Amino acid sequence: MERKAWAEPYRIKMVEPLRMLSREEREQKLSEAGYNTFLLRSEDVYIDLLTDSGTNAMSDYQWAGMMLGDEAYAGSRNFYYLEANMQKYYGYKYLVPTHQGRGAEHLISRILIKPGDFIPGNMYFTTTRQHQELAGGTFVDVIIDEAHDPASTHPFKGNVDLDKLESLIKKVGAEKVPYVSLAATVNMAGGQPVSMENVRAVRELTARYGIRVILDATRAVENAFFIKEREPGYQHKTIAEILKEFCSYTDGCTMSGKKDLLVNIGGFLAVNDEEIFQQARNLVVVYEGLHTYGGLAGRDLEAMARGMEEAVQEDYIRHRVLQVRYLGEKLQQHGVPIVVPIGGHAVFLDAKRFLPHIPQDRFPAQTLAAAIYADSGVRSMERGIVSAGRDPKTGDHRYPKLELVRLTIPRRVYTNAHMDVVAESVAAVYQEREKLSGLRMVYEPTYLRFFQARFEPLAS
Ligand SMILES: *Cc1c(COP(=O)(O)O)cnc(C)c1O
């Protein structure tokens, strides 16, 4: 008999009870939260798929490490352990810890970007682009066209389009391109991977022009899993080997440890260039903390160092990505339109196809996220026109091609039975989709508006 069943590669040693409100209570909470799932209280949520950021369950090995925190202001032992593990798994020379990923984005953007520069990247990420713009740069999307098509089944939809990249460099001049901002996997495209062949080609092209490549390594371990699964020649390599080879084609990385590294807080900047390292080490004391703790406690550094070891374990990463796929395939069985191929950290509902009767300026994805919470207490988030924000020059909404709702799976937190409940709820909302008629924005913050914007339902 063929054995196909797989299970979580861990057993549960501590539990946190969940609470479920009634439909009336949930509608009340939604209205109080301005129909923005970011403004709900966690205790009012049943299954929380808002984000995989900092929502990880740590292992007993990590918790044991928390007791070994060396809380010295300078030169903590945990820093040196993290530094050694970063060199071992990611392969860069120098480490600057930061409180989370955006702390590292802030440092590298300030150091490398001059006003008037252009930063090409494989699709924007909210905080990454914000820091590039605050430093006076302009982000330019150079991802392949397939990434903007939620129905394209290209196996590496995160790839850089080399022609787009080279024509930008030729148009503005290499001296105006401080680095290529390469993310793997690409969050905003649906957790889509970049192939090894592509990162190698990006390295060759940028080397010809003397341009750096800075990796957003937030989910690079998940990217390594897809390379192992899909790219010829990598089936027999370990995840750790693939990760290190991938990083070797780049000059440094920003990292949100709150994703791949299985912690609740933490991040870092890593680089090979000593001059950039010296500048980052100097700036970090202004914005984060001393260069051996970067805004984190010693115990947080220890938990992140140990998470790095666990993240590359084959059974862990396989379960991680296959659990996401399990949810996605359930939704497909119900006929729900989702982004394909199913990505590494989340299932993305295609709100344009889910709610074709709601125009984009009535916020279809925001509407859908609110409706799912009202149905079952499952919390998701908008990744569409609200997240895309406004064009800083014209002040108009940016109208992204992708109008998505993200169901993001925290690592090691929920079982597949929770995934079954989520799939049933989304399918129920899909059956009743014609009853939804969109939202009106009644409060809009200046920066990263999706976090705090408020809405009211529109009458149909
Ligand atoms: C979360 C994230 C960041 C920012 O990291 P924080 O730890 O949230 O500051 C950057 N890039 C990507 C792709 C992310 O998902």
Side-chain angles (χ1 to χ4, degrees):
M1 186 182 112
E2 195 199 347
R3 302 290 180 95
K4 279 195 297 200
W6 55 272
E8 290 78 5
Y10 49 81
R11 55 185 174 183
I12 295 163
K13 140 141 81 179
M14 190 192 279
V15 297
E16 180 183 354
L18 298 175
R19 188 171 77 118
M20 197 175 185
L21 302 179
S22 68
R23 170 103 203 184
E24 292 69 43
E25 288 170 318
R26 289 196 298 269
E27 279 174 358
Q28 177 63 30
K29 300 293 180 191
L30 199 53
S31 146
E32 285 166 16
Y35 295 82
N36 185 344
T37 52
F38 277 103
L39 300 178
L40 289 165
R41 291 183 185 211
S42 160
E43 62 181 7
D44 298 331
V45 171
Y46 175 43
I47 298 174
D48 202 349
L49 306 187
L50 183 73
T51 172
D52 62 333
S53 178
T55 53
N56 302 307
M58 294 206 296
S59 66
D60 52 0
Y61 175 62
Q62 286 176 293
W63 277 108
M66 295 287 276
M67 298 304 289
L68 302 175
D70 171 357
E71 307 304 345
Y73 190 88
S76 160
R77 144 164 59 83
N78 314 113
F79 166 79
Y80 294 104
Y81 182 35
L82 177 67
E83 184 187 52
N85 268 0
M86 184 284 292
Q87 290 163 343
K88 177 172 170 191
Y89 292 105
Y90 290 83
Y92 302 109
K93 279 197 196 134
Y94 304 109
L95 174 83
V96 178
T98 57
H99 76 288
Q100 59 185 88
R102 70 198 71 181
E105 291 170 348
H106 176 212
L107 299 179
I108 199 70
S109 301
R110 268 188 174 246
I111 293 167
L112 294 181
I113 300 172
K114 299 183 300 311
D117 280 352
F118 294 86
I119 303 91
N122 53 346
M123 202 172 270
Y124 84 99
F125 183 73
T126 53
T127 58
T128 318
R129 183 177 64 191
Q130 185 76 68
H131 282 296
Q132 293 164 353
E133 288 176 351
L134 286 171
T138 302
F139 175 82
V140 182
D141 189 2
V142 295
I143 203 166
I144 56 172
D145 288 340
E146 285 87 341
H148 293 281
D149 172 5
S152 159
T153 55
H154 191 295
F156 290 102
K157 273 169 104 170
N159 281 356
V160 170
D161 184 323
L162 298 161
D163 292 334
K164 286 186 195 171
L165 176 57
E166 188 156 27
S167 42
L168 175 79
I169 298 169
K170 285 189 174 146
K171 193 171 120 205
V172 304
E175 67 290 348
K176 285 221 173 295
V177 182
Y179 61 94
V180 174
S181 180
L182 181 78
T185 60
V186 183
N187 191 347
M188 302 299 277
Q192 304 295 338
V194 174
S195 70
M196 195 71 86
E197 187 188 13
N198 189 248
V199 68
R200 217 181 279 130
V202 169
R203 170 77 296 167
E204 281 164 18
L205 174 65
T206 52
R208 276 194 269 125
Y209 291 95
I211 294 172
R212 292 188 180 85
V213 180
I214 301 294
L215 177 66
D216 183 339
T218 296
R219 296 187 186 79
V221 179
E222 289 165 10
N223 198 85
F225 177 84
F226 287 111
I227 289 176
K228 182 167 175 138
E229 183 179 61
R230 297 179 187 167
E231 193 159 347
Y234 288 93
Q235 277 66 44
H236 300 295
K237 297 233 155 118
T238 65
I239 293 293
E241 286 166 342
I242 297 170
L243 176 67
K244 202 158 178 185
E245 182 185 338
F246 197 94
C247 293
S248 75
Y249 302 121
T250 69
D251 301 290
C253 79
T254 55
M255 180 71 180
S256 170
K258 304 174 69 173
K259 323 291 173 44
D260 262 357
L261 300 186
L262 296 162
V263 288
N264 304 119
I265 192 72
F268 59 78
L269 172 68
V271 291
N272 287 332
D273 184 310
E274 196 185 344
E275 169 65 19
I276 296 173
F277 168 61
Q278 293 299 355
Q279 289 183 46
R281 218 159 86 113
N282 193 209
L283 269 186
V284 78
V285 300
V286 180
Y287 293 103
E288 305 273 322
L290 195 76
H291 54 271
T292 56
Y293 75 84
L296 296 166
R299 55 180 172 271
D300 298 325
L301 299 169
E302 184 70 21
M304 187 154 57
R306 292 183 176 215
M308 217 176 255
E309 296 164 11
E310 295 184 340
V312 297
Q313 300 304 313
E314 310 281 321
D315 60 350
Y316 155 72
I317 191 66
R318 177 168 172 273
H319 156 259
R320 160 67 178 156
V321 178
L322 293 192
Q323 184 173 50
V324 174
R325 201 171 294 168
Y326 175 88
L327 174 61
E329 287 173 355
K330 284 253 149 172
L331 289 166
Q332 286 176 317
Q333 283 158 20
H334 288 290
V336 173
I338 63 170
V339 174
V340 289
I342 298 160
H345 67 300
V347 177
F348 290 72
L349 307 176
D350 184 353
K352 277 192 182 168
R353 277 187 293 152
F354 200 115
L355 299 171
H357 59 289
I358 301 184
Q360 201 168 10
D361 60 5
R362 288 183 166 211
F363 314 112
Q366 190 80 32
T367 306
L368 179 54
I372 294 167
Y373 173 76
D375 180 77
S376 59
V378 170
R379 170 154 73 169
S380 57
M381 82 152 82
E382 193 260 13
R383 276 296 182 229
I385 184 168
V386 183
S387 295
R390 289 182 186 273
D391 186 303
K393 292 208 184 75
T394 66
D396 294 338
H397 290 307
R398 297 189 237 230
Y399 286 83
K401 289 205 187 101
L402 298 178
E403 179 72 22
L404 309 174
V405 169
R406 192 178 82 179
L407 297 161
T408 336
I409 320 295
R411 295 169 186 78
R412 305 193 292 208
V413 171
Y414 294 113
T415 66
N416 284 359
H418 291 105
M419 299 302 116
D420 293 342
V421 171
V422 173
E424 244 180 58
S425 169
V426 175
V429 175
Y430 189 55
Q431 274 179 4
E432 306 257 281
R433 60 193 178 277
E434 261 131 57
K435 290 190 185 153
L436 299 172
S437 45
L439 296 166
R440 185 161 64 91
M441 204 186 320
V442 294
Y443 167 67
E444 180 176 355
T446 315
Y447 302 111
L448 302 174
R449 62 182 183 177
F450 58 96
F451 284 129
Q452 290 145 348
R454 300 183 70 86
F455 301 84
E456 277 172 6
L458 284 163
S460 43

